[in-house]
Amino acid sequence: PTQMLNDLARDRGIKLAQVALGQGQAPIAERLFNEGVSQGHWVLLANCHLSIRWLPVLENMVMSLRERKDVHPGFRLWLSSDPTPKFPIALLQSSIKITTEPPRGIRSIMQRMYNFIPEDKFNKMDAKKPQADA
């Protein structure tokens, strides 16, 4: 989903700031969140399941947006997470959820991968392929 989001932001000309959560990344996530709120860009906080103890802080930040007058209309917050029963319910309830599942089997994996390569890029790669000597 990260690549799809990167492509969507690029196609729309929107800045996407992102951080993979984990040990010590919460201050960076908070800074990106606040910059996104004020400047109107998109923020992706990936791997939220790795920062379960910090998620109540994020929940409070998101809930406080309702009362703030300075939220840029272009701001969007994107979260990615593996399933976990410890994810804050209020954060889930205030979000639009999208689920993805990995394809099963090598054929499905290859088909999915090819579907994400735009045709012009695919053709460009094919043109660069070394030709066999005749």
Side-chain angles (χ1 to χ4, degrees), residues 37-116:
V37 167
S38 63
Q39 297 171 17
H41 55 259
W42 292 359
V43 176
L44 168 61
L45 305 180
N47 301 325
C48 289
H49 61 283
L50 298 178
S51 291
I52 290 295
R53 289 183 12 205
W54 177 74
L55 289 182
V57 174
L58 177 62
E59 179 180 23
N60 288 336
M61 292 167 59
V62 169
M63 296 305 152
S64 74
L65 293 176
R66 294 177 182 166
E67 300 154 15
R68 291 176 61 171
K69 305 276 190 235
D70 64 336
V71 179
H72 193 287
F75 171 67
R76 298 293 180 271
L77 177 64
W78 303 84
L79 307 175
S80 76
S81 178
D82 283 351
T84 175
K86 297 180 180 178
F87 205 96
I89 298 297
L91 197 52
L92 287 172
Q93 290 175 334
S94 66
S95 303
I96 297 172
K97 279 116 357 240
I98 301 172
T99 59
T100 59
E101 293 187 23
R104 299 191 191 284
I106 189 73
R107 182 178 180 170
S108 296
I109 291 170
M110 295 303 291
Q111 284 178 329
R112 182 176 178 184
M113 186 174 70
Y114 282 125
N115 286 337
F116 286 122

Side-chain angles (χ1 to χ4, degrees), residues 4-18 36 39-44 72-78:
M4 291 186 289
L5 187 56
N6 280 323
D7 293 344
L8 180 63
R10 185 193 65 241
D11 292 348
R12 292 180 176 226
I14 298 169
K15 178 183 175 184
L16 173 65
Q18 55 187 309
Q39 297 171 17
H41 55 259
W42 292 359
V43 176
L44 168 61
H72 193 287
F75 171 67
R76 298 293 180 271
L77 177 64
W78 303 84

